[in-house]
Amino acid sequence: MIQPRRTLSAAERFDWLRLIRTENVGPITFHRLLERFGSAGAALEALPDLARRGGRTKPLRIAAKADIDRELAANDRIGARLLCSCEPDYPEPMAALDDAPPVVSVLGHPHLLQRRAVALVGARNASMNGKKFAERLARELGEAGLLVVSGLARGIDTAAHAGALGSGTAAVVAGGADVVYPPENETLYRDIVQQGVILAESPVGTTPQARHFPRRNRLISGLSLGVLVVEAALRSGSLITARMALEQGREVMAVPGSPLDPRCQGTNNLLRQGAALVEGVDDVLRALDNLSPPTLRERQGDLFAQSRPAVPSDADLETARAVILENLGHTPVAIDELVRGCQLSAPVVLTVVLELELAGRVQRQPGNQVNLI
Amino acid sequence: MIQPRRTLSAAERFDWLRLIRTENVGPITFHRLLERFGSAGAALEALPDLARRGGRTKPLRIAAKADIDRELAANDRIGARLLCSCEPDYPEPMAALDDAPPVVSVLGHPHLLQRRAVALVGARNASMNGKKFAERLARELGEAGLLVVSGLARGIDTAAHAGALGSGTAAVVAGGADVVYPPENETLYRDIVQQGVILAESPVGTTPQARHFPRRNRLISGLSLGVLVVEAALRSGSLITARMALEQGREVMAVPGSPLDPRCQGTNNLLRQGAALVEGVDDVLRALDNLSPPTLRERQGDLFAQSRPAVPSDADLETARAVILENLGHTPVAIDELVRGCQLSAPVVLTVVLELELAGRVQRQPGNQVNLI
């Protein structure tokens, strides 16, 4: 069910934050729970029972109210605003993601997030020329009215933010909105807080860990109509962002480079695979020209119907649980396939998977897939 | 009518050379005359009458026999062999061109022309890296059994020939087979005569003029399964070769480069238009892998049927000539369109155009188009 866009009350926001901070609740599960129970508060009440039915023996640890109070206070203290995915100020291209973060913390000028956005990403060990190119292009894209999104990393990211600083730029960070990483970008970070916007999915104070970066990358592309990779070696983080952009149905663009420079192998490979070739601002504008921003209507994988789904009976769920556990393995399988393969209804499968997930017995993977843990 | 491939007698070769060296006879007209009259000798006899009917007032200057004797002797003197487009040693991909040169002069090792060939072309003012890349790639392509074709120019051409020298390379020159241009490539030229092959459409002793180069470029692509452009600015000669390759149905490939380098704008533009991206030898081999060499069967624009065409009556030609002249202008028009637009038969239109051309009143353009002079 697609939620109407509205601003939440303080109590609702508290429940949203508490639900997403609860053990075994990721963004997709969060949205399923909301669809199933109509509100975060109702979902929180239902959680222990769901987890138990999924086979959990010890009780599910719901986030403590005191912790949520502390997180809200920390946000206030650093001057950050919390945006929930149903709220009008939350950027719609990001809200359209299956795994849209239910709550993000935003520092600086959230209104910039309403602009049409393009991500510029690339190698941390970029060449002088690559950085020069990224900085100029970012400035020109900003002047053309686009929001330039990047990840505050060394190299291309830094150049992109610096170039677009005057017109507005968004840094999506892997840790908390208040945590500067890498530390050498302290000044740039402060400038972005003053003139741009910082967006974080992690709670205030979180030090970024390796596992946070791919999750953060999905938001760089998720905020944007398209992702431009300026320089990237094979198997680099920027290519993960490009892959996510593809999966999210966003445009992928790349700057060509010499085959003799390993920092261009990733971008050349993207071009070989059909990415739009970019030599300058006009190429980017042309590539994005006919794209309409992704909207909530396009959210994939909503197997529940438009209205609140019928709640399956306990007996049905009991039978279904056995069949589904038999069909799941350690290799991820798409939920759609599970529905077809088990000859069960979508609401039944989704409910069982939700319960198993809350019980910590299955894990969600990108592309709406699940596997046994 | 597709000619059977056979080696010509000395007398026939003399007639071929005499016909192609005759005023107003270009390669396409040559092939039409051969189709119409069955042999170069018969065409030579028919020429004065055809030109007169096309409206020529002063007699057509047929090449003098003494000049042909002199050209044959000059070829012998420099050790070049003449290959005619119907002969088995003439490379078949080139024979498949609508405007295949009826006679070429070949120095060095003609048997190399039987190999699967790939053209490497690019900027004369290439970068160090571009030249290094071209040389290495040419060597690897030669080692993979391909003949590397280029144009003996400065820069990329020179690097390509140098790289492939050990395994065999073909230089298609714009002037006579004995004329070294640019002069600084004297040593490379001698090496190619020793280890590779030089091919020329112009008579021995011809100093290359600006107008020769585009005609020469069609043979660089025409000899090859595909053309790889290594570095090229916008509006450069290499892009003409790439365009010709496209028109000839050959593969077009390009090496990506930095948008900051003007020498890469042409190649990046080719990539944007769908050229295969090349970072190394494997990319070229992959692009050419599934291509079968172009054959005579694929020659386009043969509007005459398989057998000798019926000769239109004089009365029919008279009427047609008036209609066609009325429909022709100074803007080139495709012969196919002329056939449709004038509601005349293809043999009639082709005959009238042939006559007008020999009379010096119309001119052939690329893509089987003609215009009034």
Side-chain angles (χ1 to χ4, degrees):
Chain A
M1 183 178 58
I2 290 166
Q3 303 289 320
R5 307 202 87 183
R6 62 184 184 87
T7 304
L8 296 181
S9 69
E12 286 173 312
R13 195 184 313 280
F14 184 96
D15 286 343
W16 275 55
L17 191 58
R18 192 176 179 207
L19 182 56
I20 190 60
R21 297 295 181 239
T22 287
E23 189 185 20
N24 296 342
V25 178
I28 296 179
T29 313
F30 180 98
H31 299 301
R32 293 268 171 265
L33 287 166
L34 216 64
E35 282 159 11
R36 177 91 153 74
F37 296 100
S39 74
L44 283 164
E45 278 175 36
L47 278 184
D49 193 41
L50 285 175
R52 193 188 40 71
R53 293 205 303 195
R56 186 170 175 107
T57 44
K58 56 178 183 179
L60 187 72
R61 270 178 294 139
I62 310 269
K65 287 187 173 184
D67 289 341
I68 301 307
D69 279 329
R70 257 192 297 275
E71 182 171 346
L72 289 168
N75 261 285
D76 284 345
R77 197 170 52 245
I78 66 165
R81 232 185 101 183
L82 288 182
L83 291 179
C84 295
S85 59
C86 68
E87 294 186 308
D89 287 353
Y90 189 98
E92 195 162 357
M94 196 160 85
L97 302 177
D98 283 344
D99 56 355
V103 186
V104 291
S105 122
V106 173
L107 249 179
H109 303 274
H111 71 90
L112 291 172
L113 298 172
Q114 299 300 317
R115 288 199 195 154
R116 286 166 63 89
V118 59
L120 254 71
V121 297
R124 286 190 297 275
N125 67 339
S127 69
M128 283 290 294
N129 278 334
K131 286 185 276 192
K132 195 170 95 181
F133 180 87
E135 181 160 351
R136 195 186 64 196
L137 187 64
R139 189 175 58 246
E140 292 169 349
L141 288 168
E143 286 164 1
L146 287 160
L147 174 69
V148 173
V149 178
S150 199
L152 200 71
R154 293 185 190 94
I156 298 296
D157 286 21
T158 295
H161 288 305
L165 203 52
S167 51
T169 183
V172 185
V173 296
D178 60 329
V179 178
V180 183
Y181 183 84
E184 71 214 57
N185 272 349
E186 175 84 34
T187 308
L188 179 62
Y189 170 90
R190 303 235 165 272
D191 288 343
I192 296 175
V193 173
Q194 289 302 313
Q195 302 178 254
V197 58
I198 306 273
L199 185 146
E201 185 180 15
S202 303
V204 170
T206 309
T207 306
Q209 313 283 323
R211 69 190 156 84
H212 291 130
F213 289 92
R215 295 184 59 208
R216 184 278 305 268
N217 291 355
R218 90 186 195 284
L219 302 184
I220 292 180
S221 52
L223 264 178
S224 308
L225 297 171
V227 171
L228 171 62
V229 186
V230 176
E231 272 185 356
L234 293 173
R235 284 177 296 280
S236 71
S238 308
L239 298 186
I240 297 179
T241 310
R243 185 166 53 73
M244 295 198 168
L246 267 186
E247 286 172 5
Q248 295 165 352
R250 312 299 161 94
E251 187 71 21
V252 176
M253 299 163 279
V255 178
S258 166
L260 299 175
D261 189 341
R263 285 171 295 205
C264 300
Q265 286 178 356
T267 45
N268 287 339
N269 214 25
L270 288 175
L271 292 172
R272 195 184 275 120
Q273 290 162 23
L277 187 145
V278 168
E279 289 184 291
V281 64
D282 290 341
D283 292 317
V284 179
L285 298 179
R286 203 177 306 116
L288 302 183
D289 205 25
N290 297 313
L291 300 181
S292 38
T295 62
L296 282 173
R297 306 248 146 249
E298 290 167 26
R299 189 141 94 191
Q300 299 292 311
D302 272 337
L303 290 175
F304 282 126
Q306 292 298 321
S307 57
R308 189 79 57 80
V311 177
S313 75
D314 281 2
D316 283 352
L317 290 174
E318 192 75 45
T319 321
R321 198 173 296 124
V323 178
I324 289 171
L325 281 170
E326 197 180 293
N327 277 279
L328 278 178
H330 294 279
T331 309
V333 58
I335 290 189
D336 296 13
E337 275 180 54
L338 211 53
V339 169
R340 281 194 299 275
C342 300
Q343 299 193 291
L344 293 165
S345 75
V348 167
V349 172
L350 291 171
T351 303
V352 170
V353 166
L354 198 56
E355 291 170 358
L356 293 172
E357 196 182 2
L358 291 168
R361 295 171 70 187
V362 310
Q363 199 172 17
R364 286 200 190 262
Q365 302 291 349
N368 213 16
Q369 296 191 315
V370 287
N371 61 275
L372 287 184
I373 294 179
Chain B
M1 182 177 58
I2 289 165
Q3 304 287 321
R5 307 202 85 185
R6 61 183 184 89
T7 304
L8 297 181
S9 69
E12 286 173 313
R13 195 183 313 278
F14 185 95
D15 287 342
W16 275 56
L17 191 58
R18 193 175 178 207
L19 183 56
I20 189 61
R21 295 299 180 235
T22 286
E23 188 186 19
N24 295 342
V25 178
I28 296 179
T29 313
F30 181 98
H31 298 301
R32 292 270 171 263
L33 287 166
L34 216 63
E35 281 159 9
R36 177 91 152 73
F37 296 101
S39 75
L44 283 164
E45 277 176 37
L47 279 184
D49 194 41
L50 286 174
R52 194 186 40 71
R53 294 204 304 197
R56 185 169 175 108
T57 45
K58 56 178 183 178
L60 187 72
R61 270 179 295 140
I62 309 269
K65 286 188 174 183
D67 289 343
I68 301 307
D69 279 330
R70 257 191 298 276
E71 183 172 346
L72 289 168
N75 261 284
D76 283 346
R77 198 171 50 245
I78 66 165
R81 231 183 102 184
L82 289 183
L83 292 179
C84 294
S85 60
C86 67
E87 294 186 308
D89 286 354
Y90 189 99
E92 195 162 357
M94 196 160 85
L97 302 177
D98 284 344
D99 56 355
V103 186
V104 290
S105 122
V106 173
L107 250 179
H109 302 275
H111 72 89
L112 291 172
L113 298 171
Q114 300 300 319
R115 287 198 195 154
R116 286 166 64 90
V118 59
L120 255 72
V121 298
R124 286 191 297 274
N125 67 337
S127 70
M128 283 292 293
N129 278 335
K131 288 185 276 191
K132 194 170 96 181
F133 181 86
E135 181 161 352
R136 194 185 65 196
L137 187 63
R139 188 174 58 246
E140 292 170 348
L141 289 167
E143 287 165 1
L146 286 160
L147 174 69
V148 173
V149 178
S150 199
L152 200 70
R154 293 186 189 93
I156 298 298
D157 286 22
T158 295
H161 288 305
L165 203 53
S167 50
T169 183
V172 185
V173 296
D178 59 328
V179 178
V180 183
Y181 182 85
E184 72 215 56
N185 272 348
E186 175 84 34
T187 307
L188 179 60
Y189 170 89
R190 302 234 166 273
D191 288 344
I192 296 175
V193 173
Q194 290 302 314
Q195 301 178 255
V197 59
I198 307 274
L199 185 146
E201 185 181 14
S202 304
V204 170
T206 308
T207 306
Q209 312 282 324
R211 69 190 156 85
H212 291 130
F213 289 92
R215 295 185 59 210
R216 185 275 309 266
N217 291 354
R218 89 186 195 284
L219 302 184
I220 291 180
S221 52
L223 264 179
S224 309
L225 297 171
V227 170
L228 170 63
V229 187
V230 177
E231 272 186 355
L234 293 173
R235 283 177 296 282
S236 71
S238 310
L239 299 186
I240 298 179
T241 311
R243 186 168 50 75
M244 296 198 167
L246 267 186
E247 286 173 4
Q248 294 165 352
R250 313 298 161 92
E251 187 73 19
V252 176
M253 299 164 278
V255 177
S258 167
L260 300 174
D261 189 342
R263 286 172 293 206
C264 302
Q265 286 177 356
T267 44
N268 287 339
N269 215 24
L270 288 175
L271 292 172
R272 195 184 276 120
Q273 290 162 23
L277 188 144
V278 168
E279 289 184 292
V281 65
D282 291 340
D283 293 317
V284 178
L285 298 179
R286 203 177 306 116
L288 303 183
D289 205 25
N290 296 315
L291 300 182
S292 38
T295 62
L296 283 174
R297 306 249 143 248
E298 291 168 25
R299 191 140 93 191
Q300 299 291 310
D302 273 336
L303 290 176
F304 283 125
Q306 293 298 320
S307 57
R308 189 78 57 79
V311 177
S313 76
D314 281 3
D316 283 354
L317 290 175
E318 191 74 46
T319 321
R321 198 173 297 127
V323 179
I324 289 172
L325 281 169
E326 199 180 294
N327 276 279
L328 278 178
H330 295 279
T331 309
V333 57
I335 290 190
D336 296 14
E337 275 182 53
L338 212 52
V339 169
R340 281 195 298 275
C342 299
Q343 299 193 291
L344 293 165
S345 76
V348 165
V349 172
L350 290 172
T351 303
V352 170
V353 166
L354 197 56
E355 292 170 356
L356 293 172
E357 195 181 2
L358 291 169
R361 295 171 70 187
V362 310
Q363 199 172 18
R364 287 199 190 261
Q365 302 291 350
N368 213 15
Q369 296 191 316
V370 287
N371 62 274
L372 286 184
I373 294 177

